[in-house]
Structures are given as structure tokens and as C-alpha cells.
Amino acid sequence: MQFDWMKIPYSLLTLFIVVNYGFLLGALIQKMGARAGRRYGIPIWQNYVDMLKNYSMRSSITHGAMFYLGPVFRLSGGVGLLLFVPTIYGSYMFSNLSFAGDLILALYFVFFGTLGMALGAGESGHPHAAIGITRGLSQVSTAELPFALAVFSVALQYQTLSVTDIVAAQQGGMMNWTLFTNPLAVAAAMLAFLGTMMRPPFDVVVAPQEIPIGPPTEYHSSYLAMMQTNRAIFPIAKIVIYMNLFFGGADSWPVFFFKVFLIYLWSAFVGVVFPRFRVEQSIRWFLIWAVPLGILSIVLV
Amino acid sequence: MKEELKIRVVKGPDGVEFEVEPLRDYYCEAAPTVMPGAYIKIVEDMFNWARSESIWILGFGTGCGAIEMRPLMTPRFDAYRYGVQWRPTPRQANLFVISGYLSTKTLKRAIRAYEQMQSPKYVIGLGSCTINGGMYWDSYNTIKRLDDYLPVDLYIAGCMPRPEALLAGFMDMKKLIRAGRGEGANLYAENFEWYKANQKRVIHDWDMPDYNW
């Protein structure tokens, strides 16, 4: 197979656009949450300043090799997820490094960062981090379950494991989207989406008011800045998968920005309306409401 | 010294016995060092700007003044719009607000929290108790001058200052940081012996290493 070297700078360009969009969108969503609480909210560029501040910290301490690697794994999870999925359908420049069967890889990358984070935060030795990891992993695992079911359902429906092929099958009008051809799978996946976005009602893991801030308790300075960068990339990368699988993908950047914004808004909307779940409540919620939907969608396909 | 801080022999799950020396094993003993800023001035200026626009406060209410910080998080005053945020862990915070009187018992915790923060870090003394003891001027178990124990960058006077005064204080703090004068961490490192001597004078049950981050 001939590798196309030109893909590398193009992928980096995608990454650059997504990082900036992620920072701005993250701040915008935070601002909307603040407005819902009658606050003014942070400035739209606050996330950039925070990141620069964290990179500029003069001292940083380490707890060992995995403590270093935790944020690296997390960031590579986000970047990998983004790079192996076509961002813009039908565009040579922004199809990134996607290949046949990349759906399985994407599923893996969704979980990769969480696992890396668990190892890194575990080595920090802080009890809050350990409790945060236990909570986080159990919650994210249950939230991934309906998503995995939905993905299998979609893969069965289109008889392919290539994201590009799945997007291609949804072209030609809104009624061809998986949203309308397989609504149960989309419903299960969208419920799972809430659980992995780390927003209320499922943000007990990283909420500052709970076991203080959970896994990243010990992370600071440039470690934290790296994780902030990932916080910009990862949600967007995940939304790109959702958009490609369920909402017909995007064939240009404006469509991309619009769809990603709307999908992100779904989690923000639920977040400002509903109060926070405890971990066992959210696990029960996923198992009762989301998993049966996923199973049903597979059965019906 | 407390029981749990004494040297003891522990049997591991695999049956191997080993000695645990909590003060040495659980804490780091390296003294703080002076950390210079970036070599190029324009870079340091940019960093100082970023530091001033992104102030993360350690959410550790030490005295009655902590109650004045709560309104800043809510719609009435909303300090978030000025880049001021509260972080739940000292590792991620830059600004330590000592909110009111400090009993010697709390001082011990405040010192530990301060030393766990990463450089550059700033301290704001909130209320007159941190300046001269305030209404606790003749109390036997509160400290009178915070500046003797931690390097204070800024005082906000009053008993208690209103949230508006706190906001004004944050704005002044921003000016200090931007002017490159928020060097409390280096001051602490330079005069480390002096600060430690002062701290040990009032904390009688000193059961931690001299520097614990």
C-alpha cells in the first residue's frame, strides 16, 4: 500500500482547526451554562489564557514515570481519535488517516485516554485521585456500553466497519441519516454521550465540589495544561464520530462547525437542566435506560 | 510526635517486612529554591499577563472572611468574568486567600497548603485580622501578623471587607502580577530560615518536615 505523505501536514491542519474550535466552543458552552445560572460567565478566550498560564508555571513536581505519561496518554487518545476518523466527508485534505475498519480503532481510542489517566493519576498517590479513578472508570465503562452497542448496530446496518463508508451511505438528504434509519441506536448513543462528556448530571467524577476534582487532584503546571489541551480536542473528536455515524457527517467546515455545536449543545442543555447524579445512580440510569435501547437496536437491525 | 509519624515496621501482603519512616517516605524534604523568570523579558511579560488574567484561588476558607468569597462565585458579583476561578486543590492554585484570623492550628494547615502550591504563587490577606490581629489582637491562639509567617502580596483591610472590596483587591493583585512584583514564592525561598523560625515559634506540635510538598 502506498502511503500518502501529504496526509500528514493536512492532518496537522485539521488538528490545528479543531484545537482552536474546541477551546472557543468549550468557553462558549461554559458561558451558556453561566448565563443559564444568571451569571455573565468567563471571557471567550479564558481557556487560552489558562493554558498559557499553566505552561508558564515555574515549578512542577513529579510522582514518577506514569505520572508524566498520564497526560501524554490522554492527549494521544484525543489526537488519535481525531486523526483516524475522516473530519470532512469527501475532502481529500481533511479525510485524515482514516482507513477501512477504523471504527474499531476509534472505539478503542475513546477509552484509551481514560485508561492512561487512570494509570497516571493512580501513581500520584493521592487518595482523592484513587477514588476519582474508581468512580470515573465505573461510570465511563457503563456509559460506553450503550455506545458500543449502538456502534455495532450501525456497523451491522451498513455492513461495514469503515467510518467513511458509513458516512457515504448516509448521503443524499436528511432522511438517509442513521438518526432516521436507525433511531434506537442513535437514542442509545446520545444517552451514552451525556455520560462521557463530563458535564452534569454525570460530572461527579471531576466536579470540584465533590471529592475535590477527582483524578487530576495532583496534576498541575504543564501536566494540567496538556490535559486542558486534550479537553479541547477530545470532546470535538468524539462528536466527530457521532456526527459521522449518526448525523450524516459534514461535507464542509461550516456544516462541521454547526453540527458539532448542536451535538455539544445537547449535553450542555441536559447539563443545565438536571442536577448531578451520584455514581451508582448514573450507572443504574445507564443500565436501565440506555443499554436496553442499544440491545433493542441490534435486535431490530 | 504523633503515633502515626513514628518509624515502624510494616508487613507487606507478600510477607516481606520493611521499615516505614513516615516523615521521610511520605514527604519531600528538599528546601524551596529561588526560581527565576523566563530569560527574555518579553516572554516573562507575556507570562505575567497570562498569570494575572487567570487567577486560580485555593478554595480554603481559613476564617470568617471565607463567607465573603461565596458571593463572588454567584450571579451578584460573578468573579469568573475577570478570569478568577476557585480550584479545589493547592496544586492547581496560584492565589492563596487567607480569609480572616488564623489560629495557630489553622496556620499549620495553611503553611502546608501554601508549600504545596506551585511557583509563582501569591497570598492575599483578607480582613484586618491578617494585618495586626484585628479583633483578636489579644487572643492567645491566633497569629497577629500574617506577613511573619507567609509572604503576603496584598492586604484587603476591613472587618469584614465586602465582596466589592475583594474584587477591587483582585484587580490590584492583577496589576502587581503584571508589573512583575508578585514574587512571593521567591521571597519565601530566600528568607526560608526566617519564616520557618517564626512558624515554629507559634506552632508547638511541629510534626512535619520543614518543607513538605
Side-chain angles (χ1 to χ4, degrees), chain B residues 4 28 42 116 137 155 181 191:
Chain B
E4 68 260 29
C28 180
I42 193 167
Q116 284 178 22
W137 61 275
Y155 288 109
R181 286 165 60 200
N191 306 308

Side-chain angles (χ1 to χ4, degrees), chain B residues 22 39 76 81 104 114 125 204:
Chain B
Y39 184 68
R76 177 81 188 271
R81 65 201 150 127
T104 49
Y114 178 74
H204 299 301

Side-chain angles (χ1 to χ4, degrees), chain A residues 40 50 53 56 58-59 216, chain B residues 44 51 54 92 94 118-119:
Chain A
Y40 182 77
D50 285 349
K53 193 275 306 269
S56 75
R58 287 180 196 153
S59 64
Chain B
E44 182 64 13
R51 285 165 194 152
S54 156
Q92 299 172 4
N94 315 111
Q118 298 301 313
S119 168

Side-chain angles (χ1 to χ4, degrees), chain A residues 149-158 166 170 174-190 245-247 293-301:
Chain A
L149 289 171
V151 166
F152 292 146
S153 165
V154 170
L156 279 175
Q157 181 191 354
Y158 296 112
I166 293 178
Q170 298 179 58
M174 234 169 148
M175 294 315 284
N176 289 345
W177 291 3
T178 318
L179 176 63
F180 297 105
T181 55
N182 192 353
L184 283 177
V186 178
M190 288 317 277
L245 291 185
F246 308 125
F247 300 99
L293 275 178
I295 295 175
L296 204 62
S297 74
I298 289 195
V299 171
L300 290 185
V301 164

Side-chain angles (χ1 to χ4, degrees), chain A residues 37-41 43 46 49-50 53-54 56-61 213 216-220 224 228, chain B residues 35-37 44 47 50-51 53-54 56 73 75 78 80-81 83 85 87 89 91-92 94 118-119 183 213:
Chain A
R38 300 271 176 102
R39 285 194 296 116
Y40 182 77
Q46 185 67 47
V49 184
D50 285 349
K53 193 275 306 269
N54 276 329
S56 75
M57 296 300 275
R58 287 180 196 153
S59 64
S60 61
I61 57 164
I213 217 159
T217 310
E218 279 289 306
Y219 280 102
H220 54 268
L224 189 65
Q228 282 178 311
Chain B
M35 301 219 169
E44 182 64 13
F47 283 167
R51 285 165 194 152
E53 289 301 317
S54 156
W56 288 6
M73 308 178 193
D78 187 23
Y80 291 93
R81 65 201 150 127
Q85 291 180 37
R87 302 304 288 191
T89 148
R91 290 280 188 232
Q92 299 172 4
N94 315 111
Q118 298 301 313
S119 168
E183 296 291 346
W213 48 258

Side-chain angles (χ1 to χ4, degrees), chain B residues 157-178:
Chain B
C159 183
M160 291 308 298
R162 279 187 53 81
E164 290 98 322
L166 253 156
L167 273 183
F170 290 148
M171 294 303 132
D172 286 347
M173 190 71 225
K174 282 186 177 189
K175 284 178 202 154
L176 283 180
I177 299 172
R178 215 168 301 170

